[in-house]
Amino acid sequence: MKKEDCFYLGKIVSKFSFKGEVLIKLDTDEPESYVKMESVFVDYNNNLVPFFIEKCSLHKSDLLRIKFEDVDSEEDADDLMKAALYLPLTLLPKLEGNKFYYHEVIGFTIIDTDFGEVGVIKAINDTTAQPLFEIDRNGTEILIPMNDEFIDTIDREAKVITINAPEGLIDLYL
């Protein structure tokens, strides 16, 4: 399994018991959706390694407490600290309407209702207070906030997102 075929689920943040249990901070609004998992891929030494789950439960509502098969001691758990967890993209529920996963819209064309074709989404910057579309317009980078009020429609078949950006925003970059 390759990383590009997977989505980031979360990260092992701490040990929970001397029996090898770990706590995972999930990158989701619905941690309860992942309590019944049978396995995950762990980024271990830059390889995605399948780990099978013996026991899994919610811990303090936003963490998952997991006991992996063959991780039976504190030392075993230490070896996994800070490791990222992944699941195959095929396990993501399909989103409809104006909801989308960041990875899904890379390569989509952005069209503004006033300006016209803006360019192609090359990445999503989610390190800022508000995520941004990073758009390539013939070599010029244009950043547009991913604000629900700006997004009019998403046409997944045509790979087009129609927006209504604030007046003058796109012109700032040109």
Side-chain angles (χ1 to χ4, degrees):
M1 184 68 63
K2 290 185 251 160
K3 256 190 211 173
E4 49 272 11
D5 298 327
C6 295
F7 67 94
Y8 174 77
L9 179 63
K11 185 180 197 173
I12 298 174
V13 291
S14 70
K15 296 179 286 189
F16 185 77
S17 73
F18 63 90
K19 294 180 182 173
E21 289 178 299
V22 292
L23 293 178
I24 285 93
K25 174 79 174 122
L26 296 177
D27 183 29
T28 178
D29 297 334
E30 299 173 358
E32 60 280 353
S33 304
Y34 297 94
V35 172
K36 298 201 182 304
M37 295 184 301
E38 294 177 9
S39 64
V40 293
F41 289 100
V42 176
D43 189 352
Y44 187 76
N45 293 333
N46 282 331
N47 291 309
L48 288 186
V49 179
F51 274 73
F52 293 92
I53 298 171
E54 229 172 73
K55 220 169 42 181
C56 184
S57 61
L58 276 178
H59 180 75
K60 295 186 179 173
S61 78
D62 64 341
L63 295 172
L64 265 191
R65 176 179 162 186
I66 291 185
K67 168 69 176 84
F68 290 117
E69 285 181 10
D70 301 323
V71 177
D72 299 315
S73 68
E74 271 189 89
E75 292 78 25
D76 293 345
D78 272 334
D79 207 23
L80 297 175
M81 271 316 103
K82 308 293 180 229
L85 276 62
Y86 293 87
L87 285 174
L89 285 172
T90 54
L91 296 180
L92 275 177
K94 292 281 180 236
L95 296 179
E96 295 178 356
N98 283 359
K99 293 184 179 220
F100 56 87
Y101 295 110
Y102 292 174
H103 70 271
E104 155 183 38
V105 296
I106 305 300
F108 277 39
T109 300
I110 293 276
I111 296 176
D112 182 71
T113 49
D114 293 328
F115 183 86
E117 186 171 321
V118 180
V120 175
I121 300 171
K122 63 178 182 179
I124 303 291
N125 181 343
D126 63 354
T127 61
T128 56
Q130 181 172 26
L132 302 167
F133 288 119
E134 290 184 9
I135 302 162
D136 176 40
R137 179 179 175 80
N138 305 323
T140 301
E141 182 180 68
I142 297 173
L143 302 175
I144 296 181
M146 290 173 45
N147 185 318
D148 289 343
E149 293 172 25
F150 300 165
I151 299 171
D152 283 343
T153 59
I154 296 175
D155 183 339
R156 286 175 167 80
E157 298 217 355
K159 294 189 174 228
V160 170
I161 297 178
T162 305
I163 64 166
N164 190 356
E167 193 175 325
L169 177 66
I170 296 166
D171 295 327
L172 286 174
Y173 294 96
L174 305 175

